[in-house]
């Protein structure tokens, strides 16, 4: 496809990548920064268009040039800076192409585990999304709609059935009323064409009002266009966004389709910890108008910038930032007075007060007195209000490992929501110690709540990841793996909730058997698989991918049992997502961090890897290539999945 002559949106300056991601939650990479030939995008678009018109499925494995985009030097470098080296891709989910058309999705966040699995949303850059556009995207071609500056705010979901499925809707009534199924443009639209072009339809108004009605600072709709062919967007997994309708002549859609590839990316390594390399303070409000969105940052108050400050610092150092300068200079009495005021703010009422609560929590974390901060945040962690517990959890994480004892205490609560917050918090800030491991493992193996067990499974990967990065607790990583192996030996898949309850996944409800949404079931049209899910098994295998990314040495005496357990999943599991994770974990053991003496079990794995990967009828090529498998092996397999 020829490049159009229109100007493109302002792409992200490399020096501002981390800063802009920490604050805005979305960055844009220009095609020339990827470091691959421009003709690759044209080839992808041409082949994809042929498949699209022939109504044939499109997958990364069937279009090897897409795998070159995933591993393009510029993409790898940008993702390394945001989510760390050796980042991974969730297999068999939405890692495929999407074409824009006549309808509008509702504003939502994507699931923070594959297909509607639910665990607490990481404020830290643990999961992001990559969007790739092989063709130019003009303003009328249905560009991806996002809400920058929304990624730190959300809604209750634990007992809120509107958000039970993990998508955190801005306007769930849009879904209930059926508006999502109504074409906004195209041959079946009932709107006046001029209203479509001028964004005056009831759908357009509904989308704008949903954003404005949040009452949150800085948020407003942003459509990612114009883009040049080969552009890549990276945004926080927590950013509200939606699919957008086209506003051009529908007769052109088949001749000029707009494609977008989406990949769910997650962290396997900690940010690089560099002693003495302090990024310093950022004068956020002095940045003025955001060049990408036009949002005036002079209106950002300190309840917002204190959150940005933490995550900008953490992504660059892996550490908790020092106390806020204004807090560090306070008297003891002044600090205590501020803490009392922040504690009141932490308990503010209403969904519109989410930024106030979160801001108060991060301010407490950076007040310069950890004991004082943890006292207030620890009490709030046991609040009956989910919104307060959520803010307190993030605030305690932002205090760092000093919050460990508070989170361990929470894992022993009779209230499952507090136990969930406790074990989640350990994963995001605690050092890997015997006591921490015992707390997480106890919940993983014995908690009656599927929800809590699923979060505990994810926590073990985060704990091991941090141990590998800091060097503290590395001797316990084999026990993390052993606990995860035991978990996948015991946990069972269940028929997916949408099928079991015979309703859309958006309307699924907790059951006696499972108190967390386990999402849509997919069998890929293959007899080998069934439409089954298990949030615990999937999160356990997600964690095993993380731990296996650090090589056989850290697996220690758990190496053999880990390999055998993963092979069993690849060969026998009916859940295709579990199979994909297990494939990637084995692949990473064989291909990443390969220096030093090689245990016999690892040598056998390397010799047998292609045979093992060949046993299922399909492979998750996007994850495998990202995990070190050469694309030359594509030819060894007959299928294109």
């Amino acid at each position: 496809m020829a490049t159009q002559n229109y100007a493109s949106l302002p792409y992200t300056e490399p020096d501002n990548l981390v800063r802009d991601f920490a604050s805005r939650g979305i960055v844009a990479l220009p095609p020339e920064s990827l470091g691959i030939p421009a003709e690759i995008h044209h080839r992808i678009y041409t082949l994809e268009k042929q498949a699209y018109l022939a109504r044939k499925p499109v997958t990364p494995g069937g279009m090897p040039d897409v795998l070159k985009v995933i591993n393009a030097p510029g993409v790898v470098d940008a993702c390394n800076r945001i989510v760390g080296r050796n980042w991974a891709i969730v297999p068999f989910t939405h890692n495929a192409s999407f074409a824009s058309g006549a309808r509008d999705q509702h504003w939502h966040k994507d699931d923070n585990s594959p297909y509607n699995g639910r665990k607490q949303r990481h404020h830290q850059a643990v999961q992001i999304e990559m969007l790739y556009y092989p063709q130019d995207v003009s303003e009328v071609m249905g560009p991806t709609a996002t809400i920058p500056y929304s990624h730190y705010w959300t809604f209750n979901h634990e007992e809120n059935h509107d958000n039970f499925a993990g998508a955190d809707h801005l306007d769930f009534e849009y879904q209930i009323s059926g508006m999502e199924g109504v074409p906004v443009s195209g041959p079946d639209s009932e709107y006046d064409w001029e209203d479509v072009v001028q964004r005056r339809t009831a759908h357009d108004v509904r989308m704008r009002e949903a954003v404005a009605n949040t009452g949150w600072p800085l948020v407003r709709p942003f459509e990612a266009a114009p883009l040049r062919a080969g552009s890549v967007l990276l945004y926080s997994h927590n950013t509200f966004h939606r699919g957008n309708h086209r506003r051009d002549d529908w007769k052109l859609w088949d001749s000029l389709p707009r494609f977008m590839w989406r990949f769910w990316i997650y962290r396997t390594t900690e940010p690089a910890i560099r002693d003495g390399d302090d990024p310093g303070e950022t004068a956020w409000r002095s940045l003025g108008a955001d060049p990408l969105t036009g949002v005036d940052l002079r209106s950002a108050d300190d309840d917002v910038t204190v959150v940005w400050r933490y995550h900008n610092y953490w992504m660059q150092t892996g550490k908790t930032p020092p106390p806020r300068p204004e807090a560090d200079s306070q008297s003891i009495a002044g600090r205590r007075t501020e803490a009392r005021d922040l504690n009141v703010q932490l308990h503010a009422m209403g969904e519109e007060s989410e930024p106030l609560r979160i801001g108060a929590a991060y301010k407490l974390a950076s007040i310069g007195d950890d004991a004082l901060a943890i006292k207030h945040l620890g009490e709030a962690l046991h609040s009956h209000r989910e919104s307060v517990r959520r803010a307190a959890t993030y605030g305690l994480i932002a205090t760092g490992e000093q919050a460990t004892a508070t989170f361990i205490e929470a894992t022993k609560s009779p209230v499952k929501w507090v136990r969930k917050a406790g074990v989640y918090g350990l994963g995001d800030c605690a050092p890997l110690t015997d006591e921490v491991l015992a707390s997480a493992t106890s919940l993983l193996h014995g908690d009656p709540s599927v929800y809590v067990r699923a979060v505990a499974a994810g926590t073990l990967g985060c704990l091991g990841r941090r141990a590998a990065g800091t060097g503290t607790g590395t001797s316990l990583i084999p026990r993390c793996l052993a606990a995860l192996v035991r978990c996948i030996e015991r946990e069972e898949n269940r028929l997916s909730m949408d099928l079991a309850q015979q309703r859309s996944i958006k309307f699924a409800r907790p059951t006696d058997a499972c108190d967390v949404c386990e999402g849509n079931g997919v069998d890929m049209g293959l007899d080998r698989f069934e439409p089954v899910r298990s949030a615990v098994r999937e999160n356990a295998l997600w964690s095993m991918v993380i731990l296996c990314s650090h090589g056989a040495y850290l697996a220690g005496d758990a190496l053999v049992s880990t390999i055998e357990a993963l092979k069993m999943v690849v060969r026998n599991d009916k859940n295709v997502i579990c199979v994909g994770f297990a494939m990637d974990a084995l692949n990473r053991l064989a291909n990443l961090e390969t220096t030093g003496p090689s245990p016999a079990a690892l040598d056998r794995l390397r010799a047998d890897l292609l045979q093992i990967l060949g046993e299922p009828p399909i492979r998750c090529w996007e994850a495998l290539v990202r995990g070190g498998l050469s694309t030359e092996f594509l030819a060894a397999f007959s299928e294109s999945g």
Side-chain angles (χ1 to χ4, degrees):
M1 174 184 176
T3 300
Q4 303 295 317
N5 292 323
Y6 51 73
S8 57
L9 57 72
Y11 291 99
T12 304
E13 294 291 336
D15 290 346
N16 299 335
L17 183 80
V18 171
R19 184 198 72 187
D20 288 355
F21 189 89
S23 58
R24 186 198 302 132
I26 180 172
V27 294
L29 309 182
E32 59 272 16
S33 75
L34 273 55
I36 55 177
E39 57 264 25
I40 285 178
H41 312 306
H42 178 70
R43 287 201 303 266
I44 291 172
Y45 183 75
T46 300
L47 290 174
E48 192 171 0
K49 182 177 176 181
Q50 292 171 358
Y52 170 76
L53 294 176
R55 303 297 187 261
K56 293 181 179 179
V58 178
T59 65
M63 201 165 290
D65 277 334
V66 172
L67 302 176
K68 295 178 183 178
V69 174
I70 292 170
N71 272 345
V75 170
V76 172
D77 177 68
C79 291
N80 284 353
R81 294 175 61 190
I82 295 172
V83 284
R85 58 188 292 271
N86 289 342
W87 44 272
I89 296 177
V90 177
F92 296 132
T93 52
H94 292 308
N95 304 328
S97 179
F98 295 79
S100 57
R103 291 173 173 80
D104 275 341
Q105 277 187 310
H106 50 89
W107 292 113
H108 65 285
K109 298 189 178 196
D110 279 336
D111 325 311
N112 56 358
S113 285
Y115 280 134
N116 301 101
R118 165 63 89 170
K119 57 182 182 283
Q120 187 121 2
R121 293 186 176 278
H122 300 271
H123 271 186
Q124 294 172 347
V126 171
Q127 298 184 132
I128 69 172
E129 297 192 30
M130 169 185 163
L131 307 183
Y132 162 66
Y133 302 87
Q135 77 292 299
D136 295 334
V137 181
S138 72
E139 294 96 329
V140 298
M141 292 175 67
T144 304
T146 68
I147 309 178
Y149 304 103
S150 67
H151 54 305
Y152 297 119
W153 328 131
T154 193
F155 304 105
N156 292 347
H157 66 265
E158 292 169 348
E159 294 177 355
N160 175 358
H161 289 176
D162 286 359
N163 290 325
F164 175 71
D168 292 11
H169 309 276
L170 275 193
D171 180 6
F172 197 57
E173 176 59 27
Y174 180 86
Q175 179 81 23
I176 295 173
S177 67
M179 282 189 76
E180 186 167 273
V182 176
V184 185
S185 58
D188 300 318
S189 172
E190 296 184 358
Y191 286 122
D192 180 83
W193 176 243
E194 190 63 22
D195 287 339
V196 173
V197 172
Q198 297 299 326
R199 295 170 168 81
R200 295 193 300 245
T201 71
H203 281 74
D204 291 305
V205 172
R206 185 80 174 250
M207 294 301 171
R208 289 193 294 270
E209 289 182 346
V211 178
N213 289 343
T214 65
W216 297 338
L218 306 181
V219 298
R220 69 187 193 195
F222 171 71
E223 295 185 357
L227 295 171
R228 289 183 278 122
S231 296
V232 169
L233 296 183
L234 300 172
Y235 66 77
S236 167
H237 213 57
N238 295 327
T239 299
F240 280 101
H241 65 280
R242 63 178 179 84
N244 197 8
H245 67 274
R246 296 188 67 148
R247 296 186 176 91
D248 53 355
D249 186 346
W250 64 268
K251 299 183 186 69
L252 301 175
W253 294 0
D254 280 348
S255 62
L256 196 64
R258 188 235 63 172
F259 299 126
M260 177 199 79
W261 291 77
R262 179 172 69 182
F263 301 93
W264 287 357
I265 291 171
Y266 61 102
R267 177 183 291 277
T268 68
T269 57
E270 285 292 279
I273 298 176
R274 297 181 291 272
D275 291 332
D277 188 11
D278 189 335
E281 298 291 334
T282 298
W284 299 100
R285 284 185 284 273
S286 69
L287 298 177
D290 174 14
L292 183 69
T293 65
V295 170
D296 188 351
L297 299 187
R298 289 176 297 181
S299 64
D301 63 30
D302 54 8
D303 288 319
V304 173
T305 59
V306 71
V307 184
W308 300 349
R309 175 182 186 266
Y310 171 87
H311 291 285
N312 182 51
Y313 193 94
W314 184 84
M315 276 194 282
Q316 295 187 68
T317 68
K319 298 178 182 179
T320 295
R324 289 173 284 123
E326 65 273 19
D328 199 33
S329 61
Q330 283 193 105
S331 66
I332 294 175
R335 189 173 289 120
R336 289 175 177 170
T337 298
E338 184 191 12
R340 287 194 297 269
D341 292 342
L342 290 172
N343 188 53
V344 172
Q345 183 177 324
L346 183 64
H347 291 77
M349 301 287 286
E351 291 177 338
E352 71 281 359
S353 296
E354 174 83 348
L356 290 175
R357 292 186 293 265
I358 299 292
Y362 278 87
K363 284 180 178 176
L364 279 167
S366 55
I367 202 170
D369 185 331
D370 289 339
L372 181 63
I374 290 170
K375 172 182 180 295
H376 288 291
L377 292 167
E379 291 172 355
L381 187 66
H382 292 262
S383 171
H384 72 282
R385 289 174 49 201
E386 179 186 348
S387 60
V388 176
R389 290 196 305 271
R390 179 170 60 251
T393 301
Y394 292 130
L396 286 164
I397 290 168
T399 66
E401 65 180 54
Q402 289 81 1
T404 300
T406 300
F407 281 133
I408 289 176
E409 179 187 4
T411 66
K412 302 171 184 176
S413 170
V415 180
K416 72 174 180 179
W417 304 124
V418 177
R419 297 197 303 276
K420 183 212 77 170
V423 75
Y424 167 78
L426 291 176
D428 273 16
C429 74
L432 181 54
T433 64
D434 284 314
E435 186 179 17
V436 168
L437 180 58
S439 296
T441 302
S442 175
L443 295 185
L444 175 63
H445 294 156
D447 201 277
S449 166
V450 174
Y451 203 146
V452 174
R453 297 201 304 276
V455 175
T459 283
L460 286 182
C462 294
L463 287 168
R465 183 194 79 214
R466 189 159 48 259
T470 63
T472 300
T474 54
S475 64
L476 297 176
I477 290 178
R479 286 170 55 187
C480 290
L481 283 165
L484 293 166
V485 167
R486 181 184 173 195
C487 168
I488 61 175
E489 290 173 346
R490 296 173 53 174
E491 293 286 344
E492 297 181 353
N493 292 307
R494 280 172 286 274
L495 182 65
S496 64
M497 283 187 164
D498 59 325
L499 297 177
Q501 299 179 20
Q502 297 185 3
R503 61 174 72 190
S504 163
I505 195 61
K506 302 296 184 184
F507 300 99
R509 294 292 181 262
T511 66
D512 288 344
C514 183
D515 58 344
V516 61
C517 181
E518 292 186 301
N520 294 308
V522 289
D523 61 14
M524 314 299 283
L526 299 166
D527 292 338
R528 158 64 203 276
F529 304 113
E530 296 176 0
V532 294
R533 300 299 306 277
S534 168
V536 187
R537 289 176 65 79
E538 291 164 19
N539 281 338
L541 287 158
W542 179 85
S543 284
M544 293 179 81
V545 172
I546 293 171
L547 300 182
C548 288
S549 297
H550 296 276
Y553 175 74
L554 289 183
D557 59 10
L559 178 63
V560 173
S561 60
T562 296
I563 291 173
E564 291 306 310
L566 292 169
K567 286 162 61 176
M568 288 293 291
V569 173
V570 171
R571 289 168 175 159
N572 301 319
D573 206 301
K574 297 295 184 181
N575 181 336
V576 69
I577 297 170
C578 287
V579 171
F581 278 130
M583 283 182 173
D584 196 19
L586 289 170
N587 174 56
R588 285 169 172 261
L589 268 177
N591 289 306
L592 297 180
E593 308 298 339
T594 58
T595 58
S598 180
L602 186 60
D603 288 337
R604 289 193 297 272
L605 173 62
R606 288 174 180 154
D608 297 340
L609 182 62
L610 289 185
Q611 177 187 336
I612 296 167
L613 297 179
E615 293 184 24
I618 56 173
R619 276 137 291 281
C620 47
W621 283 108
E622 64 280 3
L624 295 174
V625 168
R626 179 61 216 141
L629 191 69
S630 172
T631 54
E632 70 184 56
F633 295 119
L634 271 168
F637 302 96
S638 59
E639 45 66 42
S640 60

